């Protein structure tokens, strides 16, 4: 009985290993993308920022995009922010376009900092930036990325 059990272990390992195996073609079909951006706007309970960005992906795809951020929360101020964003892996650049749910914190007096965690289904985006202005707050809203 123990000999049969030890013969079974390699088969079990192969079966379980197959569940986690990603074919080389599937792994190659994903690309990582980053974005540099500039946003400016104001807030008083409602926050509205608009701007532009440049996206570049490891597969060579590039795009200039328009950004529109609208949110609500405990917030007040006016600022300009420049920063970078990192997307989770996508199949191609077109998956990035659309609206992302955003949770954001921002603060500054003369020099501003901004951090956002965004998601849209399987795609996530982390933004961090610095700039100038007078602002403070925490908001929940959306960032829309569209081709320019």
């Amino acid at each position: 009985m123990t000999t049969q059990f030890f013969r079974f272990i390699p088969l079990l390992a192969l079966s379980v290993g197959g569940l986690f195996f990603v074919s080389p073609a599937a792994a190659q079909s994903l690309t990582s993308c980053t974005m540099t951006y500039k946003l400016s706007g104001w807030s008083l309970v409602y926050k509205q920022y608009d701007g532009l960005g440049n996206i570049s992906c490891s597969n060579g795809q590039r795009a200039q995009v328009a950004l529109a951020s609208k949110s609500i929360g405990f917030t007040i101020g006016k600022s300009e922010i420049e920063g970078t964003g990192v997307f989770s892996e996508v199949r191609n650049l077109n998956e990035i376009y659309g609206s992302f749910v955003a949770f954001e914190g921002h603060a500054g007096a003369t020099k501003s900092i901004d951090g956002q965690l965004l998601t849209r289904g399987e795609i996530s985006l982390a933004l961090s930036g610095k700039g100038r202005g007078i602002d403070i707050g925490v908001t929940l809203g959306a960032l829309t990325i569209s081709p320019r």
Side-chain angles (χ1 to χ4, degrees):
M1 182 88 160
T2 54
T3 334
Q4 290 176 350
F5 177 74
F6 287 114
R7 287 184 191 164
F8 177 71
I9 289 176
L11 293 173
L12 179 64
L14 286 172
S15 300
V16 171
L19 294 174
F20 299 105
F21 178 75
V22 177
S23 71
Q28 290 175 355
S29 66
L30 295 178
T31 186
S32 57
C33 300
T34 58
M35 176 174 67
T36 57
Y37 68 91
K38 184 174 184 178
L39 287 167
S40 62
W42 58 272
S43 65
L44 179 60
V45 180
Y46 172 77
K47 181 177 178 188
Q48 181 172 338
Y49 277 57
D50 296 302
L52 302 172
N54 291 302
I55 297 174
S56 59
C57 301
S58 60
N59 67 359
Q61 291 180 309
R62 296 184 182 282
Q64 293 181 337
V65 294
L67 306 171
S69 176
K70 295 174 177 47
S71 56
I72 192 164
F74 299 103
T75 181
I76 187 169
K78 182 178 179 176
S79 63
E80 292 180 358
I81 302 290
E82 290 185 40
T84 58
V86 177
F87 292 90
S88 59
E89 290 186 323
V90 295
R91 287 182 222 15
N92 66 59
L93 182 66
N94 291 329
E95 288 187 329
I96 291 173
Y97 300 130
S99 293
F100 288 77
V101 174
F103 178 72
E104 175 201 14
H106 59 99
T110 307
K111 292 186 178 184
S112 254
I113 59 169
D114 182 75
Q116 295 186 43
L117 298 175
L118 305 101
T119 188
R120 189 182 84 232
E122 295 178 358
I123 303 170
S124 299
L125 170 61
L127 297 177
S128 64
K130 296 178 182 179
R132 58 185 170 274
I134 298 174
D135 62 314
I136 190 164
V138 176
T139 63
L140 182 61
L143 172 74
T144 302
I145 301 173
S146 52
R148 192 166 51 126

